[in-house]
Amino acid sequence: MTLTPTRAVDVRVRRLTTTLYGYSFLEEFVLLYPVYALLFSDAGLSVWQISSLFALWSVTAVVLEVPSGAWADAVSRRLLLVLGPLLTGAGFAVWVLVPSYGAFAVGFVLWGIGGALCSGALEALVYDELERGGAADRYARVLGRARAAGLVAVMAAMGAAGPVLAWGGHAAVGAASVLVCVLTSVTALRFPEHRGAGEGAGRQGWGAVLRAGVREARRDRSVRGAVLLVPVVAAVWGALDEYAPLLVREAGVGDAAVPGVLLVIWGGATAGSLLAGEGERFGTVGLAVLLGGGGVAQAVGAVVGSVAGVVLLVAVAFGAFQAATVLAEARLQHRIESAGRATLTSVAGLGTEVVTLTVFAGYAVVASGHGHGAAFAVASVPYVVLAAGLGVAEVRRRFVSGGG
């Protein structure tokens, strides 16, 4: 049977999206995630040593974020998506085979390298392939569903880690995690990749690609604004999720019930991912409403002090922020016109890492003196301010357009 050109394109797009959803799920379905702190503690590490490992992981990601994005633009992006999970899996294997501080440090470095290789490369590959199939307008919807698949995987891993740990200990959890990393790598082989003339496969040097990407951000105001928007939208609530269990406990939830409450909150984030594609048609106004509404919901939910307030309003806020994050990332991809798509995506990723570290420091200052509810409320302010700024900018743009 001969496929018409339109149907052939639909088949390619469907293969791309199903591969992406499977990859996104497997990438997050790592049973070690909920329990690796227990592994470190059981190996005799102190709190200081564990914190130093987290710092090493962050530094590795920050240092390699932009260079790896430029590499993804200079060579095959699919290749990096295959290699990244293998390096991460190798790090997990080292953890469970030789549980010691040195081995954990090596594992975090490998994990950081693996994550940096995939960061930027995945978004760039997906957008370019959708654009090639005439479906770039579906990017926000596709990315939202992929993020939802990842969130579902996180929740599934939370549920599975306990029984597996009880059955086979850290060795079983580690083996399952390594296997999932291998499956993620194999899944990446199914990604289609068609690079245009003059792109990839070493046609441009790594340094040239990096300079070209940064040059575009400096020259094009809309690209620069989109690059800066992503960290502001993504980083604040992305950092807050680490403290969500403490906020829930402060509201009066017993430790045994905390995981169930967190599942509700992350259910809100998952819903936000799934609805992100619908929000794209509302443009800047819709993005501003999501940010402002999410900020208000989070502030009220955090300070009201009741379990229902925390569960419902923070879940709504996380859903709004997740949708806004997807829309901000889609906004960036739509504005990039050069071959340095992965480079600029990684620049935004670097900004997200830096802002996240800043939020961690600010949160510690506020929470130590006023509690977690106050810290969540203060962290809502940037979203309300950003929403107001986007709204004013959109009104001004429409006024100028109408006047012209």
Side-chain angles (χ1 to χ4, degrees):
M1 184 175 87
T2 302
L3 294 177
T4 64
T6 301
R7 187 170 179 186
V9 168
D10 287 341
V11 170
R12 288 197 296 268
V13 170
R14 186 160 56 249
R15 176 185 175 183
L16 170 68
T17 55
T18 54
T19 302
L20 173 64
Y21 301 152
Y23 186 92
S24 299
F25 181 90
L26 290 171
E27 188 178 32
E28 299 295 338
F29 187 61
V30 177
L31 271 60
L32 268 172
Y33 287 174
V35 299
Y36 61 69
L38 301 179
L39 172 63
F40 302 158
S41 179
D42 291 346
L45 270 63
S46 65
V47 174
W48 181 89
Q49 288 176 311
I50 294 174
S51 298
S52 69
L53 291 174
F54 291 153
L56 177 63
W57 185 26
S58 297
V59 168
T60 302
V62 167
V63 170
L64 296 178
E65 181 71 39
V66 175
S68 66
W71 193 26
D73 284 328
V75 299
S76 166
R77 292 164 180 164
R78 179 172 57 195
L79 173 63
L80 300 191
L81 295 177
V82 171
L83 292 177
L86 294 179
L87 289 173
T88 300
F92 294 157
V94 171
W95 283 3
V96 294
L97 291 175
V98 193
S100 62
Y101 181 81
F104 296 146
V106 170
F108 267 119
V109 170
L110 289 172
W111 189 0
I113 296 172
L117 291 181
C118 298
S119 177
L122 179 63
E123 294 86 350
L125 183 150
V126 171
Y127 189 90
D128 279 350
E129 291 301 316
L130 285 174
E131 187 175 48
R132 184 174 185 272
D137 59 329
R138 303 186 203 173
Y139 180 76
R141 185 185 316 145
V142 168
L143 182 63
R145 291 175 178 174
R147 294 292 167 77
L151 290 171
V152 170
V154 169
M155 292 186 287
M158 288 180 181
V164 173
L165 183 65
W167 171 72
H170 294 302
V173 173
S177 300
V178 172
L179 175 60
V180 167
C181 289
V182 172
L183 291 175
T184 307
S185 177
V186 171
T187 301
L189 293 171
R190 296 192 70 255
F191 276 118
E193 184 177 30
H194 304 86
R195 307 295 293 279
E199 293 182 80
R203 294 177 182 269
Q204 296 188 62
W206 172 86
V209 171
L210 177 59
R211 288 191 296 273
V214 174
R215 192 181 306 120
E216 181 179 0
R218 295 176 61 184
R219 183 183 68 251
D220 191 324
R221 183 177 179 181
S222 67
V223 173
R224 185 168 64 252
V227 168
L228 294 174
L229 181 64
V230 171
V232 178
V233 173
V236 178
W237 84 276
L240 290 180
D241 80 77
E242 301 292 342
Y243 301 100
L246 301 176
L247 175 68
V248 170
R249 186 167 64 181
E250 185 179 78
V253 177
D255 287 358
V258 167
V261 173
L262 292 179
L263 286 177
V264 175
I265 292 176
W266 283 109
T270 303
S273 280
L274 293 173
L275 296 173
E278 300 301 319
E280 190 172 32
R281 58 182 172 173
F282 297 108
T284 301
V285 172
L287 181 60
V289 170
L290 283 172
L291 292 171
V296 171
Q298 177 173 278
V300 174
V303 301
V304 73
S306 69
V307 175
V310 169
V311 174
L312 298 178
L313 292 178
V314 175
V316 168
F318 275 29
F321 295 151
Q322 176 64 41
T325 299
V326 171
L327 293 177
E329 292 174 346
R331 189 187 187 101
L332 171 61
Q333 297 301 327
H334 289 317
R335 281 164 169 71
I336 299 173
E337 296 181 356
S338 73
R341 185 174 300 281
T343 302
L344 288 170
T345 304
S346 290
V347 170
L350 173 61
T352 300
E353 293 285 349
V354 173
V355 175
T356 298
L357 293 174
T358 303
V359 174
F360 283 153
Y363 188 97
V365 172
V366 177
S368 60
H370 304 282
H372 298 286
F376 267 71
V378 170
S380 303
V381 174
Y383 287 118
V384 177
V385 173
L386 179 58
L390 288 173
V392 170
E394 181 63 12
V395 169
R396 184 180 301 166
R397 185 192 68 79
R398 294 185 179 184
F399 177 79
V400 172
S401 299

